[in-house]
Amino acid sequence: MLIEESNVEIETSPVAEVEVLDQVTQPWQVMILNDPVNLMSFVTLILRRIFGYSEEKATDLMLKVHSEGSAIVWTGEREKAELYVQQLQTHQLYAVMEPID
Amino acid sequence: MELINNDDGTWTLSKVSELEHLMLSRLPESADSTGCEEAGNRLFPSPISPEADFDNEKKSSADSDWKEYIEPELRVEFRDSLKIVADDLGKAQMAKDEEVNCYEFNIPTAHADYWCSALNQARIVIHYRYNLPDEDGVLDMDPNPEKWMATLQSEIYGMLMEFLIKKVLWVA
């Protein structure tokens, strides 16, 4: 594929274009992994604060982390996912993210 | 140990026994993960899930960016919390509770988050440094006195965190 711009012809690969588009549009999920130290009340408090979740929803997610080993707490674009992971890690929660296929 | 609302934007942690005061005075040094790789990895983990379907090159790049840009910010936040807590602890005063020596000191409401951060950092480092059991509330008489003291220290920190969460932060 050729792109004409100011008399300069740039050749781009369709594969590269798809990859870039995927990186922009691909949703990511933020997860909290269980750890043996964090207090349940602390995890619930931080989920309420960062995501604005109700006490009931935050408690449900905390219990899912505790019983199943992890819980997806948010899904969306990568940049925002990174921000949430940073905020959660600032409170020493074991937060990670991954792209959704 | 009692947490009392002064209704002036501060709380007083009173009836702090000499043992509890000793444990609290160890808080800043206990939160230092130096020499304990597991604790360091837990406090500053990769942002990418270990289960992620992400090729090694992309994961390595994400980890490297995280280490360069985010980890230093986390370190500053953690260090600032410890410094504020150390300052509050330095103002502890001797008191008496039914003729028994104890301590008391003020915690400004605005410092409650720093306290939780410092207590949590220390609990994480202690857990990995002394390889404590994963179960909650286990205070078995471990034959290793250092490990038993570490468990007690972690329990005291957890109890104070619960006070702060329930009484100060939950309602804020």
Side-chain angles (χ1 to χ4, degrees):
Chain A
M1 183 184 292
L2 296 174
I3 298 172
E4 288 185 23
E5 187 180 286
S6 306
N7 298 327
V8 178
E9 292 183 343
I10 305 166
E11 190 168 353
T12 62
S13 148
V15 175
E17 281 179 3
V18 170
E19 268 191 15
V20 170
L21 192 63
D22 274 355
Q23 282 173 19
V24 173
T25 59
Q26 185 178 32
W28 284 64
Q29 57 196 21
V30 173
M31 305 161 72
I32 294 180
L33 309 183
N34 191 32
D35 79 81
V37 183
N38 273 314
L39 300 173
M40 290 178 166
S41 55
F42 187 61
V43 175
T44 306
L45 173 75
I46 299 307
L47 284 172
R48 283 180 62 197
R49 271 198 190 164
I50 291 180
F51 298 104
Y53 293 154
S54 65
E55 184 176 345
E56 188 183 8
K57 181 168 183 178
T59 303
D60 285 348
L61 286 168
M62 175 277 293
L63 288 173
K64 191 163 194 265
V65 173
H66 186 68
S67 59
E68 297 177 24
S70 68
I72 297 162
V73 295
W74 186 85
T75 302
E77 64 189 55
R78 178 173 181 168
E79 204 171 314
K80 214 164 177 187
E82 286 176 344
L83 183 66
Y84 281 137
V85 170
Q86 181 181 356
Q87 288 179 331
L88 292 163
Q89 288 190 3
T90 298
H91 293 284
Q92 297 112 25
L93 266 58
Y94 194 175
V96 293
M97 61 187 196
E98 64 182 23
I100 303 171
D101 290 331
Chain B
M1 197 156 54
E2 258 183 25
L3 190 60
I4 301 160
N5 190 351
N6 297 319
D7 292 322
D8 63 354
T10 66
W11 294 72
T12 297
L13 191 66
S14 66
K15 298 183 183 177
V16 179
S17 70
E18 294 201 60
L19 176 65
E20 288 165 340
H21 181 257
L22 174 68
M23 296 295 176
L24 287 174
S25 66
R26 291 180 179 173
L27 177 52
E29 68 189 78
S30 300
D32 183 357
S33 64
T34 306
C36 182
E37 192 179 351
E38 274 184 304
N41 290 340
R42 173 57 192 80
L43 284 171
F44 307 104
S46 161
I48 306 297
S49 163
E51 308 294 325
D53 183 16
F54 213 45
D55 69 54
N56 282 343
E57 195 180 330
K58 283 182 185 167
K59 184 177 187 310
S60 171
S61 166
D63 284 347
S64 157
D65 286 349
W66 199 259
K67 279 216 169 297
E68 184 173 356
Y69 299 108
I70 307 299
E71 191 177 308
E73 287 184 30
L74 294 177
R75 286 186 185 277
V76 168
E77 296 243 15
F78 293 175
R79 198 175 52 226
D80 286 352
S81 296
L82 291 171
K83 188 178 179 315
I84 286 166
V85 166
D87 286 349
D88 286 344
L89 275 169
K91 293 170 190 158
Q93 292 186 329
M94 284 286 281
K96 288 267 185 200
D97 177 34
E98 294 176 2
E99 299 309 309
V100 177
N101 284 340
C102 61
Y103 289 84
E104 66 179 31
F105 57 92
N106 282 349
I107 299 178
T109 304
H111 290 188
D113 274 312
Y114 300 119
W115 268 86
C116 276
S117 171
L119 291 164
N120 210 33
Q121 286 175 62
R123 276 168 51 80
I124 288 168
V125 173
I126 289 168
H127 181 86
Y128 289 101
R129 193 180 293 285
Y130 293 95
N131 193 25
L132 300 187
D134 288 352
E135 297 82 15
D136 291 334
V138 177
L139 193 56
D140 292 334
M141 186 54 83
D142 196 286
N144 175 350
E146 214 180 30
K147 192 168 172 178
W148 187 84
M149 286 296 277
T151 306
L152 178 64
Q153 192 179 358
S154 183
E155 297 268 328
I156 289 171
Y157 292 176
M159 186 172 67
L160 181 50
M161 268 187 86
E162 288 284 12
F163 280 171
L164 291 165
I165 292 166
K166 298 270 165 63
K167 287 192 161 187
V168 187
L169 297 173
W170 200 261
V171 293

